[in-house]
Amino acid sequence: MGAVSLPINIVSLTNSNSNSNFTSLSATSHYTSLSSLQLSPSLTATTTLSLSVVRVQADSEDYELKQMRDMAAARKRWEALIRDGKVKVLTPREAGYAVQLSNKPFLDVRPSNEHNKAWVRGSTWIPIFDVDKRLDAGSIPRKVMNFVMGGWWSGLPTLSYDSQFLAKVEEKFPKDTELIVACQKGLRSLAACELLYNAGYQNLFWVQGGLEAADDEDLIVEGPMPLKFAGIGGVSEFLGWTDQQRAAAAKEGWGYRLVFSARLLGVFLAVDALYLGAQQIGRYIQDIRSH
């Protein structure tokens, strides 16, 4: 087996709701041709700004294309692991039975922003990716890009691969352990299974669909929120526009929906007030200038 290509920003790829369009033109070469122009002094500021915008566009497109290629290659490797029986598949209910009746260890590889909302009782938490709390020249552009590309809507933070993940698992579990591995949606746990298999773990069980696919009675859960809600956030959660919240609204009825309808109305009123306020300020500034 070849080694897993990490870190891969699996979360941003699997949870993004944006429909990005990619062109066959190389944005990088376009930027290079622009940067070779001879600039006159009067155009320097404008052109510098334009070059900065193109640079960001090029970096963003190259990054997304690389992520798509990496994810496609990773999916093929993961499918092979399951097809060849190197990683066994469990439903969330089967995983719950294995934990409760056979006391099998349950490894939760989700990041802290998901784990802190809800977790399986008795599980061991070792995240393969966790929230990137660094504020340096390398991480800040990634965080800005993540926010602009949909993080503001989904609430997904920028994650970074924990290079000590394997060492932490090996410290906790012998390699002959029958280990159940789970994440929120089922993809990061596959990446973890690949790493663990390559490191010598031969008795791995992957929870298909992740913890989000679990029904209330499947697993004994602790924490302030249901497991299904652990992976949502941002503006979409605030407005109740996630699939999980819509499903809950269908069960709970109008009382549940009214809460989010009131929030949406509040947002519209706030935006309207800001717009009217901006207009008033604009008129006030015009009056000052006219006098």
Side-chain angles (χ1 to χ4, degrees), residues 1-287:
M1 288 287 296
V4 59
S5 302
L6 291 173
I8 301 171
N9 191 351
I10 294 172
V11 179
S12 66
L13 286 168
T14 58
N15 293 355
S16 174
N17 292 324
S18 60
N19 296 317
S20 302
N21 296 316
F22 299 99
T23 63
S24 59
L25 274 176
S26 170
T28 306
S29 62
H30 180 55
Y31 165 68
T32 303
S33 65
L34 283 175
S35 64
S36 64
L37 294 174
Q38 296 296 320
L39 306 179
S40 64
S42 61
L43 294 176
T44 300
T46 303
T47 310
T48 301
L49 178 59
S50 300
L51 290 177
S52 299
V53 171
V54 174
R55 182 186 290 112
V56 170
Q57 256 187 328
D59 291 344
S60 175
E61 290 177 1
D62 288 347
Y63 177 76
E64 290 177 4
L65 287 169
K66 182 180 184 302
Q67 291 286 1
M68 290 182 68
R69 288 194 295 266
D70 288 347
M71 178 54 72
R75 281 181 181 274
K76 289 182 180 179
R77 296 196 306 270
W78 299 338
E79 288 169 1
L81 281 176
I82 294 172
R83 183 176 60 249
D84 298 341
K86 295 173 180 176
V87 174
K88 286 81 173 177
V89 179
L90 295 178
T91 65
R93 179 164 296 182
E94 290 169 339
Y97 288 151
V99 171
Q100 296 166 37
L101 302 179
S102 304
N103 202 30
K104 280 187 170 53
F106 190 99
L107 178 61
D108 184 344
V109 301
R110 296 176 299 161
S112 56
N113 64 299
E114 294 175 358
H115 175 266
N116 293 343
K117 295 177 182 177
W119 59 90
V120 176
R121 180 187 294 176
S123 61
T124 299
W125 177 55
I126 305 176
I128 184 171
F129 296 92
D130 207 357
V131 177
D132 189 350
K133 297 180 180 178
R134 296 172 301 168
L135 290 173
D136 53 36
S139 62
I140 290 176
R142 288 181 60 228
K143 291 181 179 183
V144 171
M145 184 183 297
N146 177 73
F147 182 82
V148 171
M149 296 296 291
W152 64 274
W153 176 255
S154 66
L156 283 172
T158 303
L159 303 178
S160 60
Y161 170 64
D162 183 0
S163 59
Q164 297 301 308
F165 168 76
L166 194 55
K168 292 175 182 177
V169 176
E170 289 174 336
E171 182 180 347
K172 187 74 177 177
F173 301 107
K175 292 189 176 178
D176 60 352
T177 304
E178 292 187 337
L179 191 58
I180 300 172
V181 186
C183 65
Q184 189 66 23
K185 291 181 177 291
L187 284 180
R188 283 165 289 172
S189 51
L190 270 176
C193 284
E194 182 181 20
L195 270 179
L196 293 169
Y197 181 82
N198 290 341
Y201 286 86
Q202 302 295 314
N203 298 306
L204 296 170
F205 297 84
W206 168 63
V207 179
Q208 187 174 28
L211 299 179
E212 193 170 289
D215 292 325
D216 294 340
E217 66 274 9
D218 290 346
L219 299 158
I220 300 176
V221 179
E222 297 177 337
M225 299 180 69
L227 272 176
K228 290 182 181 293
F229 288 6
I232 63 177
V235 175
S236 61
E237 180 186 17
F238 178 78
L239 295 177
W241 284 359
T242 65
D243 292 338
Q244 297 88 334
Q245 289 167 303
R246 287 171 184 161
K251 293 180 181 178
E252 298 291 337
W254 282 104
Y256 188 90
R257 297 177 187 177
L258 282 174
V259 173
F260 297 104
S261 298
R263 290 183 182 180
L264 180 60
L265 179 60
V267 169
F268 279 126
L269 292 174
V271 170
D272 193 45
L274 288 172
Y275 177 73
L276 293 175
Q279 281 188 322
Q280 292 296 329
I281 292 172
R283 292 194 191 100
Y284 178 71
I285 292 174
Q286 268 189 334
D287 291 340

